[in-house]
Amino acid sequence: MELETKIAVYRPRMKQERNIRETALGLVSTRSFPAIVGTADMMLKSAGVTLVGYEKTGSGLCTAIVRGGVADVRLAVEEGAKTAEQFGHLVSKVVIPRPMPNLEVIFPIGAQLEDLASQQGHSRLSNLAIGLLETKGFPAMVGAADAMLKAADVQLAAYETIGGGLCTAIIRGSVANVAVAVEAGMYEAEKIGALNAVMVIPRPLEDLERTLPLASYWVEEPEKQEALPILLPKAVKQVEKQVVKLPELE
């Protein structure tokens, strides 16, 4: 019985060590939140990796972290870095093969997130898109968000701040509507003079949606409330009932 117990304990350790040898971490850093989301989208769609999440380190710097097989992570990081370079926002990139357990405990790259890889696939809202518009300053972002909502049938899902005065409005809608809305938002932000970056992501994967604030589901429209009854006539009747007839003056 004691030998069987030792074997049962040893096998999970062997599996954990094998997972460490076969996996890698990939990190790509950019100077913009729309750029890092676009980079993450390309990384997910170019290789079989799992998006662990983002690390925002201030001054507008963001890092996307992916996990998977060594070959897949290398390919994903290269494609993601190319995307970031196209937008002129690439800061750095690195691939860490066989990360040690101590590294995973300290940084937000825990091994338990590997389970998400089996759930990877196209979004249930595959005919929709995500639009991101980043400005320098909060007023410009609010103005751009208002312009986007008025220009097309889209919904404002959330906004994100990453330091350095950079704010990003995140919208959802059909691909065509998001494209029209983002164009209108760009015009408004440029009029204010504070546009920094934009990104339209058609058919986002569920893995990407889970990492965005409120972007994985539609913001439900507020329920229409029934009109309040007019109380004035009723109040008048109550007052009339309480009126006391004054005696006539002699």
Side-chain angles (χ1 to χ4, degrees):
M1 181 65 68
E2 184 178 354
L3 179 59
E4 291 179 358
T5 303
K6 289 183 178 180
I7 292 175
V9 173
Y10 183 63
R11 282 177 180 170
R13 290 179 181 174
M14 289 178 59
K15 184 178 180 180
Q16 183 180 11
E17 291 175 0
R18 184 169 64 251
N19 289 339
I20 292 174
R21 291 194 300 268
E22 295 173 354
T23 63
L25 293 169
L27 300 91
V28 179
S29 181
T30 68
R31 299 185 185 90
S32 163
F33 189 72
I36 201 61
V37 175
T39 297
D41 179 68
M42 179 56 67
M43 295 167 80
L44 289 172
K45 291 177 178 176
S46 62
V49 295
T50 300
L51 179 61
V52 175
Y54 310 106
E55 188 68 19
K56 298 180 280 289
T57 54
S59 300
L61 299 181
C62 305
T63 299
I65 307 170
V66 298
R67 186 187 183 104
V70 177
D72 283 330
V73 169
R74 290 189 187 280
L75 176 60
V77 167
E78 288 302 317
E79 294 301 318
K82 289 179 183 178
T83 300
E85 284 181 332
Q86 290 176 357
F87 293 97
H89 288 288
L90 179 65
V91 176
S92 60
K93 62 179 181 179
V94 66
V95 175
I96 302 175
R98 300 173 296 279
M100 296 301 292
N102 192 187
L103 190 73
E104 295 180 319
V105 170
I106 301 302
F107 294 105
I109 48 182
Q112 68 273 15
L113 291 170
E114 282 184 325
D115 297 336
L116 294 175
S118 60
Q119 305 172 11
Q120 189 175 8
H122 283 284
S123 169
R124 291 185 297 273
L125 306 176
S126 58
N127 62 325
L128 302 179
I130 294 174
L132 302 100
L133 188 148
E134 187 176 65
T135 65
K136 183 79 171 180
F138 192 74
M141 188 269 289
V142 175
D146 178 69
M148 290 192 290
L149 292 173
K150 291 176 178 175
D153 184 15
V154 296
Q155 289 188 335
L156 180 63
Y159 73 91
E160 185 74 34
T161 59
I162 58 173
L166 298 179
C167 310
T168 300
I170 305 172
I171 61 171
R172 293 296 309 269
S174 67
V175 177
N177 281 324
V178 167
V180 170
V182 167
E183 185 175 356
M186 290 172 60
Y187 176 79
E188 184 67 21
E190 287 175 343
K191 188 168 64 174
I192 300 173
L195 179 66
N196 189 65
V198 295
M199 182 72 61
V200 175
I201 300 175
R203 296 173 294 280
L205 299 179
E206 290 181 0
D207 202 7
L208 181 73
E209 289 186 299
R210 278 192 293 264
T211 64
L212 294 176
L214 299 180
S216 60
Y217 58 88
W218 283 101
V219 178
E220 297 182 357
E221 295 182 0
E223 296 181 359
K224 294 183 179 179
Q225 297 183 357
E226 296 182 0
L228 294 174
I230 299 176
L231 301 177
L232 183 58
K234 185 177 180 182
V236 170
K237 290 180 180 179
Q238 291 177 349
V239 171
E240 288 177 349
K241 291 180 180 179
Q242 296 175 1
V243 172
V244 178
K245 187 176 180 179
L246 296 175
E248 294 182 1
L249 296 176
E250 294 180 358

